[in-house]
Amino acid sequence: MDAMEVVGTIDHRDREEFRSRGFAILPQVASESEVAWLRQAYDRLFVRRATPGAEDFYDIAGQRDREGPPLLPQIIKPEKYVPELLDSPHFARCRSIAAAFLDMAEEELEFYGHAILKPPRYGAPTPWHQDEAYMDPRWRRRGLSIWTTLDEATVESGCLHYLPGGHRGPVLPHHHIDNDDRIRGLMTDDVDPTSAVACPLAPGGAVVHDFRTPHYAGPNLTDQPRRAYVLVFMSAPAEVADPEPRPWMDWG
């Protein structure tokens, strides 16, 4: 049976969970063979691109002038360097899933990819934040991220944690990690983590979250990498007449 028929299926319960909690867990969106292929593409990408100054490579948790290995390396738009990613059954499946969750036609969805690596034993935490905090407030988009793990994602290795229902509130005040403008990553202090839900996943599993859902991932305390491949899908931007201030975006 084709992989498209056995993984990545969703139903009304998944859509209702996404609407009510702001996230939904999908136990398997990539088959074992697809995960193996994605790992190979992912590792080649980081060997080629994860060097200081490389275009689309960022250490989201480290100072821009920091020496030493990156704390939380990320590559934006990996499809620019591995175009085969867009021809994969996994991409087609995720686009279909996103269209179902957003109630939009697939051809109307804009997208980009995002590769996030937590290296073993020193991969930094990803502090509490909302994805929308990184977005220009002059434009409004409906959208979501499909966060697929290529390794076992546990609490110890840095699985995602979410605040259920947080997507129904506003974009919270954010600031740069450690209040250091040299660090690209953002965080918010306006959350109560006692109500957070951890989402451990097996390889090939995914969690889908709204742009406004507050989320966190701990450091990688294990001997294995925690590789995540994220696909971000969204509507075309609509202009906002009276955009809210987001002073944390005013940096070089």
Side-chain angles (χ1 to χ4, degrees):
M1 184 178 294
D2 186 87
M4 289 285 285
E5 299 179 40
V6 297
V7 298
T9 58
I10 62 171
D11 57 27
H12 72 281
R13 291 169 296 184
D14 299 312
R15 291 190 289 271
E16 178 56 33
E17 181 179 41
F18 178 76
R19 285 192 292 268
S20 64
R21 301 211 296 174
F23 66 97
I25 300 168
L26 304 180
Q28 188 181 22
V29 297
S31 67
E32 185 175 345
S33 61
E34 289 170 342
V35 169
W37 182 84
L38 286 168
R39 284 174 180 161
Q40 292 178 353
Y42 190 106
D43 291 344
R44 291 196 309 271
L45 183 67
F46 271 90
V47 167
R48 297 204 313 265
R49 301 302 308 174
T51 56
E55 184 183 6
D56 300 316
F57 169 78
Y58 305 98
D59 181 1
I60 204 76
Q63 297 170 340
R64 281 174 283 171
D65 54 357
R66 178 182 178 275
E67 296 183 0
L71 300 176
L72 190 56
Q74 304 193 22
I75 296 174
I76 306 297
K77 299 183 179 179
E79 61 273 9
K80 287 171 56 177
Y81 310 103
V82 187
E84 308 94 281
L85 289 168
L86 301 185
D87 297 324
S88 68
H90 178 260
F91 175 79
R93 187 178 307 117
C94 286
R95 183 170 57 184
S96 176
I97 289 170
F101 276 121
L102 294 172
D103 293 319
M104 293 178 59
E106 291 186 30
E107 58 271 18
E108 295 177 4
L109 292 173
E110 299 181 8
F111 67 89
Y112 67 89
H114 190 191
I116 309 173
L117 173 64
K118 282 188 185 286
R121 289 295 171 190
Y122 75 90
T126 308
W128 284 104
H129 70 284
Q130 296 163 295
D131 292 346
E132 194 172 339
Y134 286 92
M135 300 177 183
D136 189 334
R138 295 173 298 177
W139 305 93
R140 173 70 174 139
R141 292 179 182 268
R142 293 179 57 235
L144 53 77
S145 293
I146 302 179
W147 190 96
T148 302
T149 183
L150 307 184
D151 305 286
E152 185 177 14
T154 65
V155 171
E156 293 75 18
S157 69
C159 72
L160 286 173
H161 297 64
Y162 292 98
L163 289 183
H167 65 302
R168 293 193 293 269
V171 175
L172 301 169
H174 283 65
H175 59 83
H176 294 280
I177 296 172
D178 295 334
N179 289 297
D180 188 337
D181 288 350
R182 293 173 296 173
I183 299 177
R184 185 180 182 87
L186 298 175
M187 63 178 292
T188 180
D189 301 315
D190 289 23
V191 296
D192 178 8
T194 60
S195 60
V197 175
C199 299
L201 294 165
V207 62
V208 184
H209 66 255
D210 184 273
F211 283 165
R212 284 202 181 183
T213 307
H215 53 288
Y216 160 89
N220 184 0
L221 305 177
T222 73
D223 294 324
Q224 303 298 320
R226 196 229 61 186
R227 292 165 288 189
Y229 176 44
V230 188
L231 283 167
V232 181
F233 294 94
M234 55 202 158
S235 66
E239 190 169 4
V240 176
D242 186 20
E244 63 186 26
R246 293 182 188 168
W248 56 85
M249 297 188 69
D250 297 334
W251 66 294

